Amino acid sequence: MKPIKLPSSFLLGSATAATQIEGGDKNSNWYHWSLKGMIANNESSIVAADHYNRVIEDINLMKEMNHEIYRMSIEWSRIEPEEGVWSQKGIKHYQDEIQALVEAGIKPLVTLHHFSHPQWFEEKGQWTNRDSVKYFSRFVKKVVSFLGDSVNEYCTINEPNVFAMDTFMDGKYPPGKKDDILSYFKASKNLILAHLKAYKIIHSERKKMGYNDTMVGIAIHLAYFEVSGNNILTKLSEKLMNYSFHQMFLNGMIEGHLTFPVGLGYPHGKGIYCDFIGVNYYSRHLIHSSNNPAMLFGEVKVEAGLPDEKLNDLGWEIYPEGLYKVVKEVFEKYKLPIYITENGIPDANDSKRAKFIYNHLKEIEKLIADDVDIRRYYHWSLLDNLEWNDGYAPRFGLIEVDYYTQKRTIRESGRFYGTICKEKEITKKMIDKYL
Ligand code: BGC
C-alpha cells in the first residue's frame, strides 16, 4: 500500500442526518412509520443515538477526530411541527448547535431535506402534493433567516433519487408505495422544482442580509451501474435506469431543465442551479434483466460469488473504483466543484472500514491528479445510527454507539480517520499501524 497525500485545501469531516441520530421527535413521518412497525425488529426513531441531548459531547468527539467540516440536517418537523406553526424551541436548538460547531472551528453544511419531514406534510401526500414546493420553500426561507450568517453552505435535498425510489417503488419509506411509477415521477418533479426554488430563495435571502459567499447544492446518490451479460433488453434497461435514477435529476437540479417524463423546458429559466455537486457514493450496481413489469428499473443485484472482503455488512459490493468513475463523469459534464457528501460502510466489527477509507481516498487522490475540482470528503457517518427501515443493526459509525447506555467509543478506524483529517495524508507509519 502506498502513502496518500491530499492538498491542504482539501477538507475532511463526516455527515449525519437528524432522524438517524437525534431521537425525541414525535412529529416526523418516521416516528409515525415506526409506530406502524415498519422498521426492522420493530425499532423506533424515538431515541436513536440521543444526539439531540448530546450535541456538545458529539461536537467534542468531532474535535477529537480533527474534523474541519460537518454535514448535518435540520429536522423540518422540529421547526414546523404543525402546518404554519414555528417552534421557537426547535429553532433555538439548531441555532445553538450551529453556534457550537462554529466555535469549535467546524464548518457546517446544512441539509434541508434528508428523507424525513413533518407528519402533517406526509398526510397531505408529501412530495406528490402539488403544493409541496410551496410548503418546503416557506420552511427553507425560515431556516435561512434564523441561521443568518452562521451558515453559508446548504444542501437542499438529499438523494432525491433514492428517496423517490424507496418511497414509491420499493415501499421501504413512508407511505410505502410499491411500483407506483406515476407517484415516482410526480414526486421527482416536485423534488426537482423544490431544489430550484430553494436555490433561488437561499441566494436571494442571504443577499438581502448582505452576504455574497452562499454555496448551494444537492447531495445526489450516484451509483456505478454496470450491465450484467449481453442481453440487449438488459442494456436498454440500464440506460433507462441511468436516465430515470441519475440523469433526469441532474438535468433538473443542475441545469433547471425538466426532461421527459417529469416535464419539458426550463420553469425557472436556463441557468446553473448548483454551486457545487454533492456526490453520495457507496457501491456498484449490476443491472440484470427483470421480470418486473416496471422493467424500466431493471433489477439490481450484487455480482455472485464475491469474497467476503468485497462485501459490507448489508451485502453491498465494496467498489472504490466506482467513486472515480462517477465523479469523473459528472465533473466532465458540469465542471462544478465536487463535494463527496457521503461515503461509508456498515461494518460492525470494524474490520473493513479503515481499508475502505484508504481505498476511497486513493481514488480521490487520482481525481485530484486528473484535475477534477474535488474539494471535500464527508464520511458517512460520524456515529452509528438508525439506518432507516433497516433499523439499528447496520453500523456505519466512525464512533460506536451502545444504544443501551448511549456510550460513545471512537473506533480504531475513527482514530485512523481522525489522523487523516489532521494530517491530510496517509503515511507509511499510519499504514503500518492501521491497515
Ligand atoms: C443516505 C443515508 C443512509 C446511507 C447509508 C444514503 O442513502 O443519505 O441517510 O444512511 O445512504 O445507506
Side-chain angles (χ1 to χ4, degrees):
M1 273 177 165
K2 288 195 181 142
I4 293 179
K5 192 143 183 57
L6 299 164
S8 57
S9 57
F10 188 83
L11 304 181
L12 298 108
S14 63
T16 59
T19 304
Q20 294 180 270
I21 58 170
E22 285 183 348
D25 178 39
K26 293 193 171 170
N27 295 310
S28 96
N29 62 332
W30 271 87
Y31 174 67
H32 288 259
W33 192 233
S34 22
L35 292 183
K36 290 189 179 152
M38 299 310 279
I39 297 181
N41 302 319
N42 234 342
E43 302 278 11
S44 162
S45 61
I46 200 64
V47 180
D50 193 33
H51 174 72
Y52 191 78
N53 297 308
R54 292 163 198 265
V55 165
I56 298 301
E57 181 183 349
D58 292 341
I59 292 178
N60 285 336
L61 289 164
M62 289 179 215
K63 274 199 320 209
E64 207 175 319
M65 289 193 291
N66 307 300
H67 279 32
E68 297 172 285
I69 48 174
Y70 175 57
R71 174 175 173 235
M72 58 176 277
S73 76
I74 291 203
E75 193 72 274
W76 182 357
S77 50
R78 285 194 190 277
I79 304 300
E80 193 180 2
E82 288 170 51
E83 187 185 342
V85 177
W86 304 111
S87 160
Q88 281 315 312
K89 186 170 174 249
I91 292 175
K92 169 102 173 44
H93 174 84
Y94 289 111
Q95 285 173 324
D96 291 349
E97 174 167 358
I98 301 251
Q99 189 58 32
L101 281 166
V102 173
E103 278 166 17
I106 300 167
K107 190 171 178 51
L109 167 61
V110 168
T111 305
L112 294 160
H113 186 274
H114 194 129
F115 292 178
S116 58
H117 41 245
Q119 179 63 14
W120 63 259
F121 181 78
E122 182 68 40
E123 283 165 13
K124 284 178 183 287
Q126 53 142 297
W127 290 100
T128 60
N129 185 318
R130 57 192 304 188
D131 288 330
S132 51
V133 179
K134 192 178 87 192
Y135 296 125
F136 182 66
S137 303
R138 194 173 55 181
F139 162 67
V140 172
K141 199 166 168 186
K142 188 79 186 171
V143 173
V144 176
S145 76
F146 75 70
L147 290 182
D149 69 339
S150 53
V151 173
N152 72 323
E153 298 190 338
Y154 288 91
C155 235
T156 55
I157 311 261
N158 178 68
E159 298 192 348
N161 49 352
V162 170
F163 173 78
M165 181 69 82
D166 285 356
T167 303
F168 300 107
M169 297 300 292
D170 291 343
K172 294 193 218 162
Y173 299 173
K177 296 265 179 76
K178 280 217 161 107
D179 296 333
D180 183 351
I181 294 194
L182 275 182
S183 296
Y184 176 85
F185 286 121
K186 211 173 182 183
S188 299
K189 175 178 184 176
N190 286 329
L191 288 159
I192 293 170
L193 291 173
H195 163 74
L196 297 174
K197 194 82 205 280
Y199 180 88
K200 291 173 101 174
I201 292 174
I202 301 169
H203 272 284
S204 71
E205 290 300 304
R206 294 197 84 253
K207 205 170 200 154
K208 278 192 230 156
M209 298 179 205
Y211 307 121
N212 288 315
D213 57 351
T214 311
M215 295 285 280
V216 183
I218 42 166
I220 182 100
H221 185 106
L222 295 182
Y224 179 62
F225 284 157
E226 228 172 64
V227 181
S228 167
N230 252 330
N231 183 323
I232 189 103
L233 278 178
T234 318
K235 286 186 182 165
L236 177 67
S237 164
E238 190 271 338
K239 294 238 172 314
L240 288 171
M241 234 174 128
N242 224 330
Y243 174 76
S244 54
F245 189 71
H246 292 140
Q247 200 53 51
M248 181 181 88
F249 289 96
L250 296 171
N251 293 342
M253 293 173 134
I254 299 178
E255 296 181 320
H257 189 191
L258 291 190
T259 51
F260 182 80
V262 291
L264 291 174
Y266 297 83
H268 288 275
K270 279 191 185 172
I272 294 294
Y273 294 87
C274 278
D275 305 312
F276 64 88
I277 303 174
V279 174
N280 293 0
Y281 174 77
Y282 286 89
S283 188
R284 171 167 75 148
H285 296 253
L286 279 189
I287 314 293
H288 292 247
S289 53
S290 170
N291 299 326
N292 185 338
M295 196 282 292
L296 170 60
F297 297 101
E299 227 172 277
V300 173
K301 288 188 190 152
V302 171
E303 193 177 332
L306 284 177
D308 175 68
E309 78 220 37
K310 293 287 279 170
L311 298 173
N312 71 22
D313 289 355
L314 281 166
W316 309 344
E317 181 180 0
I318 302 171
Y319 189 71
E321 302 88 325
L323 177 68
Y324 182 95
K325 295 178 194 195
V326 300
V327 169
K328 180 94 168 128
E329 191 180 330
V330 82
F331 179 74
E332 289 302 323
K333 183 148 190 187
Y334 297 106
K335 295 279 191 267
L336 286 166
I338 306 286
Y339 295 178
I340 303 302
T341 34
E342 281 181 37
N343 173 239
I345 177 173
D347 177 28
N349 61 24
D350 203 32
S351 60
K352 298 173 184 166
R353 189 173 289 102
K355 199 163 167 218
F356 178 98
I357 292 172
Y358 171 90
N359 284 327
H360 286 81
L361 290 180
K362 187 99 216 137
E363 298 301 323
I364 290 181
E365 192 186 39
K366 283 188 212 155
L367 286 162
I368 295 172
D370 291 348
D371 289 328
V372 171
D373 183 7
I374 179 166
R375 301 182 182 180
R376 308 265 177 101
Y377 179 81
Y378 296 86
H379 188 80
W380 184 271
S381 180
L382 175 70
L383 300 165
D384 286 340
N385 58 53
L386 175 70
E387 177 56 14
W388 306 109
N389 59 303
D390 283 324
Y392 293 97
R395 299 283 183 153
F396 276 92
L398 293 163
I399 298 169
E400 181 186 350
V401 175
D402 175 337
Y403 290 112
Y404 293 100
T405 60
Q406 292 296 346
K407 185 174 181 307
R408 276 90 162 117
T409 311
I410 299 181
R411 293 193 161 103
E412 265 307 279
S413 58
R415 300 261 168 225
F416 172 57
Y417 185 61
T419 316
I420 304 172
C421 292
K422 180 159 180 235
E423 308 294 343
K424 310 277 173 89
E425 62 178 331
I426 302 178
T427 60
K428 174 86 178 51
K429 208 166 142 204
M430 288 159 70
I431 293 173
D432 292 345
K433 180 163 178 197
Y434 293 104
L435 297 169

